[in-house]
Amino acid sequence: MPSTSGYTMPFGTFRRSIMGIGNDHSHNQIHSMDVSGDSSSDFHCELGSFEHQVFRQFRTLSAASADELLSLDWVSKLLDAFTACQEDFKGILLKHESNLGKPPLDRFVTEFFDRSIRALDICNAVRDGIERIRLWNRHLEIVLSAFDSKSRNVMVEGQFRRARKALTDLAIIMLDDNKESTSLFSHRNRSFGRPNKGKDGQHKAGHSRSLSWSVPNSWSASKQLQLIANGLIPPKSHEISATNGLANVVYTMGFVLMFVLWALVAAIPCQDRNLQVHFSVPRQFSWGTPLNLLHIRIMDESKKRERKNSVGLLKEIYQMEKSVNLVTDLVDSVNQFPLTEEQKAEVQTCVQDVSQVCNAFKNGLDPLERQLREAFRKIMSCRTEGLEHLARAQS
């Protein structure tokens, strides 16, 4: 994918430069908005504070170490950053309700809420991805159980047969990505928006309705992201002036929403995920610098040889893939019993690696799903309340 940023400095220099950006620099960029002369200083500070909030949140995320980037912990922080920005954005919209019905702000706000519908679908798709990881983890737990004997010094052929079957089942599930995603997950018909209860809640796989059920089979994460990105155009100077700078706020939150969704799809297995979504990180905003750095780092991660065919860039998925390959090779290599001492030691090492991955998923997936659910609700709440305020302003 061609570079979308326009930056030409070396990556190391670029990353160091972002950490040297201080409050004064971002403060000046934030207040470079073209707002009308009768705007109060409090209004300037309010809008500037929001832009600086976005800058701070993503500067912290962009400074993550190589080991932390795209880990469960990092994705959790990403969702924290999003909800913080979303709350500030919602507060600004509701505080300036009287301006929402005036053109061109009414158009910017309406388009933002339209993009929110696609965002809710992507949240559902990411939730399905989390459920898929849980299924993988259950197979890993069977592998651990197979080698969990009272006498660690005695390992018999039956244990290896059980472990081999669990590993084979896991490989089939992970390789047959699209088929398994529909047969194993869409029939659950779960969503953050409405639980599946009773006969009325039943829904056939492949005919799921957006926003109410998990996404249908023909749904594409990459296409939805591209549709969101296509509508993100920085406001022109006269539009900024006409809205007293509020157009910049709506655009900023729209870009944050799109970028967070893109990062989630990059990390978590999703239906038809493809990171080649074309968008340009704007350079005229202070927050453009950390977001551009994150975009570069995530794309670089996806281009690594060992990650190119991965179902998700989540660090724990990569650790799972490595540990599964090691234990599979070991299980396939053992054809004589009893095991030698060296083989026993290798088994224990592999089991410890698998155990670490299982624990990471066990401890991290539930909190992550709760955060995703909260983000879903905040997006939906902002849209519902925002449309009500917009209708009142236009009446």
Side-chain angles (χ1 to χ4, degrees):
M1 175 179 176
S3 173
T4 60
S5 66
Y7 288 96
T8 57
M9 71 177 71
F11 174 75
T13 304
F14 179 52
R15 186 181 181 193
R16 287 193 296 272
S17 71
I18 187 179
M19 299 314 298
I21 296 175
N23 290 342
D24 291 341
H25 175 84
S26 60
H27 183 82
N28 291 336
Q29 282 201 358
I30 290 163
H31 285 76
S32 66
M33 294 186 302
D34 182 12
V35 296
S36 59
D38 60 350
S39 297
S40 68
S41 59
D42 287 345
F43 185 77
H44 274 275
C45 289
E46 182 181 29
L47 302 192
S49 177
F50 172 71
E51 300 257 352
H52 188 56
Q53 157 91 308
V54 175
F55 170 79
R56 276 191 302 107
Q57 294 284 357
F58 285 90
R59 179 179 62 177
T60 301
L61 288 166
S62 67
S65 67
D67 289 336
E68 185 183 8
L69 183 70
L70 293 169
S71 65
L72 281 168
D73 184 59
W74 185 87
V75 175
S76 174
K77 291 175 181 177
L78 176 73
L79 287 172
D80 281 341
F82 170 76
T83 53
C85 295
Q86 177 82 359
E87 281 297 290
D88 283 1
F89 171 72
K90 180 181 174 181
I92 291 174
L93 282 192
L94 301 188
K95 185 175 179 180
H96 299 284
E97 175 185 329
S98 60
N99 295 322
L100 297 182
K102 300 174 183 178
L105 186 59
D106 58 344
R107 174 172 57 85
F108 285 112
V109 172
T110 300
E111 289 174 352
F112 174 82
F113 291 142
D114 287 344
R115 285 191 289 272
S116 296
I117 296 175
R118 300 186 190 280
L120 294 174
D121 280 343
I122 293 175
C123 285
N124 275 335
V126 173
R127 195 279 311 162
D128 285 343
I130 292 174
E131 186 66 19
R132 183 177 302 169
I133 297 172
R134 284 200 183 98
L135 177 62
W136 300 343
N137 200 40
R138 286 196 287 273
H139 284 278
L140 290 180
E141 288 172 345
I142 294 173
V143 175
L144 289 179
S145 176
F147 289 119
D148 184 21
S149 62
K150 293 181 180 179
S151 176
R152 291 286 181 177
N153 291 323
V154 179
M155 292 187 183
V156 297
E157 188 175 358
Q159 293 174 273
F160 280 76
R161 281 200 301 266
R162 188 181 177 202
R164 184 180 289 109
K165 183 180 185 307
L167 290 167
T168 301
D169 291 343
L170 176 59
I172 292 172
I173 290 171
M174 294 185 70
L175 287 172
D176 200 7
D177 190 24
N178 291 331
K179 182 179 177 180
E180 291 298 327
S181 69
T182 56
S183 65
L184 291 175
F185 294 99
S186 64
H187 78 278
R188 295 172 180 268
N189 293 325
R190 294 195 300 132
S191 166
F192 298 129
R194 181 171 62 189
N196 184 4
K197 294 180 180 179
K199 281 188 176 180
D200 294 335
Q202 291 177 356
H203 219 60
K204 291 183 179 180
H207 298 278
S208 306
R209 293 181 57 198
S210 271
L211 306 185
S212 298
W213 308 107
S214 296
V215 294
N217 297 351
S218 59
W219 187 88
S220 164
S222 60
K223 288 180 181 177
Q224 295 301 311
L225 283 170
Q226 190 63 67
L227 287 170
I228 293 175
N230 288 345
L232 285 171
I233 302 172
K236 298 178 174 62
S237 58
H238 67 88
E239 293 170 329
I240 298 171
S241 297
T243 61
N244 282 349
L246 287 171
N248 268 347
V249 172
V250 178
Y251 171 75
T252 295
M253 192 62 225
F255 200 95
V256 167
L257 175 64
M258 183 275 296
F259 191 89
V260 169
L261 295 171
W262 176 79
L264 286 173
V265 170
I268 307 294
C270 277
Q271 189 167 300
D272 190 27
R273 60 181 289 277
N274 185 342
L275 299 191
Q276 304 299 326
V277 176
H278 298 279
F279 61 87
S280 297
V281 180
R283 299 178 61 180
Q284 64 267 41
F285 294 90
S286 63
W287 47 261
T289 305
L291 281 173
N292 186 69
L293 176 56
L294 276 175
H295 184 237
I296 291 172
R297 295 187 67 190
I298 292 172
M299 288 304 300
D300 285 348
E301 190 72 19
S302 72
K303 293 172 185 175
K304 291 180 179 178
R305 187 182 60 170
E306 66 272 19
R307 309 307 306 274
K308 280 186 177 181
N309 297 320
S310 179
V311 292
L313 296 180
L314 193 72
K315 274 289 186 286
E316 286 78 4
I317 290 179
Y318 179 50
Q319 292 165 356
M320 180 196 73
E321 290 171 340
K322 288 199 302 181
S323 63
V324 165
N325 286 337
L326 288 173
V327 74
T328 300
D329 289 344
L330 178 61
V331 167
D332 288 343
S333 69
V334 173
N335 48 34
Q336 278 191 323
F337 296 89
L339 303 184
T340 65
E341 291 302 317
E342 182 181 354
Q343 287 174 322
K344 290 178 184 178
E346 289 179 4
V347 169
Q348 292 304 322
T349 299
C350 288
V351 167
Q352 288 174 4
D353 290 342
V354 173
S355 179
Q356 288 177 358
V357 173
C358 284
N359 288 335
F361 284 147
K362 184 177 180 181
N363 296 328
L365 290 179
D366 285 350
L368 183 63
E369 184 174 3
R370 286 194 294 270
Q371 283 183 289
L372 186 63
R373 184 183 296 114
E374 183 64 18
F376 179 99
R377 288 173 177 168
K378 286 186 181 298
I379 294 169
M380 187 163 57
S381 170
C382 181
R383 182 177 186 274
T384 302
E385 294 182 39
L387 287 174
E388 290 174 356
H389 284 268
L390 178 61
R392 279 199 296 268
Q394 291 174 329
S395 62

